[in-house]
Amino acid sequence: MKRIAIVGSSGGNLYNLGGKEPEKLLGEILVQSSSVNLEVAGVQFVAAHGTMDMVRGDTQATVYSWDADAKQPAAVFQGSLEECNEYARQLDEAIAQQITNGTIDALIIMSSDPDGANRSVIKAAVERQIPIVGTGGTSMATVSSKGAKVILSSGTTGTTNRTRAISFVTALCKQWKIKYLPVIGNAKERGKVTAGSWRRINIRGIMMASLPGFIALALVLAISKIPGLSGLSPVFDLLIGALPVVIAAVAAKQVSDMEEVSIVAGVLAGILSQQGGIIGGMIGGIGAGLLVNFLFRKCIEWRFPTTTVNIIAGGVSGLVSGLIVYYLLAPVALWAGDHVKMLIETCVAFSPVLAGLIAGLLIWPAIIGGVYHAAILPIVLLEMEKTGNSFLGAVDMVGLVMVSAGITLANIVSPREKSEATVAAPGFLVNMGFGTFVEAAYPFMFSNKVVFGGAILSAGVAGMLVGIFNVRGTAYVPSIMAPLLSNNLLGFAISMASGLVCSFVITLFANKWAKRASQSAKQQAAG
């Protein structure tokens, strides 16, 4: 029997992907872990009543701990976020002592606060070198930088409560050589209608979860350019038409959370909403999700047979919502989407160099400030809807991914301290290999103002080159593949190289300067 502890918070991006429903988030981990006899021995989870990207000290929150008698997480304290963090520190000390005593074998962390509410736990985990799995790009980068034994680390974009729980337990079971088969579905939840459907409507969460569909579109576009494979062009057109269906299915699933029933409703609504583009698909899917919960509840109250309940909730909900969009809302939704894209195109046409420079200079402040996932990524997907690639998507790749890769590479080649090379290596490999995890550069940026300024400058230069070459592209793909998915292979490759080289050189000089200053200080102290 292995014992695990779960620590963290509802997070910023995580809040939109399950964090605002802490019981379900923690419950899914409990379902997966208990299926292989992984015992939960401690919980310290701070659930804010809003995304951490925009909270204040007086934002209300709830602290969850582990009820050993009931063998489930339980709310133990409510108050302002500041008060909850103070209370959570008591749980932090208790779980840290369990780790020190050897009664906890692993940690699951989500959007943690390694230098605050989770400081003692992380410190104890580092000292004992117990395996850690978790999500939250910023926090995981910090945890790794402290020397923790992280065996699984990722951001939260595109994840769900279930996929996160499965990935956590899979990694731990692989570490301990335990056979594990994921549990899909929870018998206790089956047939229930979760309250608060309106609160689960979150546009950016829907868009982010739909990202794989857009990447597939970009891949088909790239493959269709290969000589002899031009016959894939109709497939590209077909995929463009299918994007509203993807968006609708995701929207219905997130809003209703009724598993297959909500997916069927979303697909039906999406098919009927295609003329409204991805905005029309989103409206249709949200409407279908709301109707699924309403009709499901009513049919249960009317004591319809379960099969009939599913047919009505899934079929009628999708049809009604889809027909409303088809006959009434599709033209308005299409007009809105076209005007967003037209605004971007107008700015780029006015001065592509200036547009690229401004976008590059602002993209790091945007992601650090929580604006990226709220505004930039949805616009990227709107751009990709028609052409399979995007101006802002190209800036994302050259200004975030490649700059982060350059910073981490410099800390591999010439770190300020030897331990930083070990921290930087995984971040560099993930950025280059998968086009994501830009947060790997945070520890180095936040600890050195020159590196921070160099990141912004490098992103500005790379963005300017995107404008000069009139590049359209995307991130979230391997760096070697990214130019192939763009409209200008050479131009995108040069822009990417500029972001990497510029940030690499600046970070290299910053590290050398910092090392000299440190050595000089030591000599003066010794003298």
Side-chain angles (χ1 to χ4, degrees):
M1 175 72 72
K2 297 290 185 179
R3 294 161 63 86
I4 61 176
I6 306 168
V7 302
S9 74
S10 52
N13 190 28
L14 175 63
Y15 179 83
N16 302 294
L17 299 172
K20 59 184 169 183
E21 294 181 293
E23 292 90 352
K24 290 187 63 179
L25 182 150
L26 297 171
E28 189 64 50
I29 297 175
L30 185 59
V31 168
Q32 301 299 330
S33 60
S34 61
S35 70
V36 286
N37 291 325
L38 301 184
E39 182 182 355
V40 176
V43 171
Q44 180 237 42
F45 193 85
V46 179
H49 300 174
T51 171
M52 292 284 192
D53 289 335
M54 295 176 285
V55 296
R56 303 184 305 272
D58 59 353
T59 297
Q60 294 299 295
T62 303
V63 179
Y64 287 81
S65 183
W66 181 247
D67 187 331
D69 294 327
K71 294 189 179 299
Q72 64 181 15
V76 293
F77 184 82
Q78 288 185 322
S80 68
L81 182 59
E82 186 175 342
E83 293 170 340
C84 286
N85 282 333
E86 187 62 33
Y87 184 90
R89 289 186 179 94
Q90 301 174 31
L91 300 177
D92 182 46
E93 293 289 345
I95 296 175
Q97 189 61 50
Q98 288 180 274
I99 295 173
T100 301
N101 294 339
T103 57
I104 289 180
D105 302 298
L107 273 183
I108 293 176
I109 60 178
M110 294 169 288
S111 298
S112 64
D113 184 6
D115 296 316
N118 306 119
R119 180 179 180 181
S120 298
V121 163
I122 300 303
K123 181 180 178 182
V126 171
E127 291 174 352
R128 294 280 300 180
Q129 283 295 289
I130 64 173
I132 296 176
V133 295
T135 58
T138 304
S139 61
M140 290 306 297
T142 304
V143 170
S144 297
S145 70
K146 294 179 180 295
K149 184 180 179 180
V150 177
I151 63 173
L152 176 70
S153 173
S154 74
T156 55
T157 301
T159 65
T160 67
N161 288 339
R162 183 161 297 160
T163 58
R164 279 192 297 273
I166 291 174
S167 64
F168 293 158
V169 176
T170 299
L172 291 174
C173 287
K174 184 177 180 181
Q175 175 75 14
W176 293 321
K177 295 180 174 56
I178 298 174
K179 185 178 180 181
Y180 163 63
L181 292 175
V183 177
I184 305 300
N186 184 347
K188 294 182 180 179
E189 292 291 330
R190 201 169 296 143
K192 291 185 179 180
V193 179
T194 306
S197 299
W198 288 97
R199 289 184 302 159
R200 288 197 294 272
I201 298 175
N202 187 281
I203 293 175
R204 64 176 179 172
I206 294 168
M207 295 290 257
M208 286 185 286
S210 305
L211 181 62
F214 291 82
I215 298 301
L217 179 72
L219 289 171
V220 171
L221 175 64
I223 296 172
S224 67
K225 294 179 180 179
I226 298 174
L229 296 178
S230 58
L232 284 173
S233 295
V235 176
F236 176 77
D237 296 333
L238 186 63
L239 283 176
I240 287 180
L243 288 178
V245 182
V246 174
I247 293 279
V250 170
K253 176 64 172 62
Q254 288 195 3
V255 171
S256 75
D257 197 27
M258 291 295 291
E259 302 297 340
E260 290 83 358
V261 175
S262 58
I263 293 173
V264 170
V267 170
L268 287 173
I271 291 171
L272 292 170
S273 303
Q274 284 178 300
Q275 294 181 6
I278 63 174
I279 293 180
M282 184 181 300
I283 295 172
I286 290 172
L290 293 171
L291 281 172
V292 163
N293 279 2
F294 175 77
L295 292 178
F296 194 97
R297 184 171 62 252
K298 286 299 180 182
C299 289
I300 291 293
E301 291 174 359
W302 296 332
R303 299 188 180 184
F304 284 10
T306 303
T307 301
T308 306
V309 172
N310 290 345
I311 291 172
I312 293 176
V316 176
S317 297
L319 284 173
V320 171
S321 180
L323 288 171
I324 290 173
V325 176
Y326 183 85
Y327 284 111
L328 298 177
L329 302 179
V332 178
L334 187 61
W335 177 88
D338 286 343
H339 274 69
V340 170
K341 288 173 282 191
M342 190 181 302
L343 178 62
I344 298 294
E345 292 169 0
T346 301
C347 292
V348 175
F350 174 75
S351 177
V353 176
L354 182 61
L357 175 62
I358 293 174
L361 291 174
L362 293 179
I363 197 149
W364 274 108
I367 194 169
I368 292 171
V371 178
Y372 173 86
H373 295 100
I376 296 178
L377 184 58
I379 293 174
V380 168
L381 300 188
L382 280 170
E383 284 190 89
M384 292 180 68
E385 179 186 12
K386 293 297 182 183
T387 60
N389 44 43
S390 156
F391 176 79
L392 286 179
V395 175
D396 183 344
M397 173 57 92
V398 305
L400 288 179
V401 177
M402 299 313 295
V403 169
S404 178
I407 292 172
T408 50
L409 179 60
N411 281 282
I412 295 172
V413 174
S414 180
R416 289 173 301 181
E417 299 177 6
K418 291 182 179 180
S419 60
E420 292 185 338
T422 304
V423 175
F428 173 74
L429 293 173
V430 173
N431 275 301
M432 295 299 291
F434 300 96
T436 185
F437 198 33
V438 301
E439 296 89 349
Y442 281 2
F444 313 107
M445 292 171 62
F446 295 153
S447 63
N448 192 312
K449 293 181 180 179
V450 176
V451 176
F452 191 99
I456 296 176
L457 175 63
S458 301
V461 171
M464 184 173 62
L465 287 173
V466 167
I468 290 174
F469 291 110
N470 194 30
V471 175
R472 303 292 187 276
T474 183
Y476 300 100
V477 295
S479 59
I480 193 172
M481 184 184 295
L484 301 174
L485 306 184
S486 72
N487 65 331
N488 186 335
L489 190 153
L490 181 61
F492 200 20
I494 293 173
S495 302
M496 290 170 62
S498 71
L500 189 149
V501 172
C502 187
S503 60
F504 173 81
V505 172
I506 293 174
T507 305
L508 208 62
F509 278 107
N511 286 354
K512 290 184 181 295
W513 183 273
K515 282 196 292 186
R516 288 177 184 175
S518 177
Q519 291 171 356
S520 177
K522 289 179 181 178
Q523 290 173 357
Q524 289 179 1

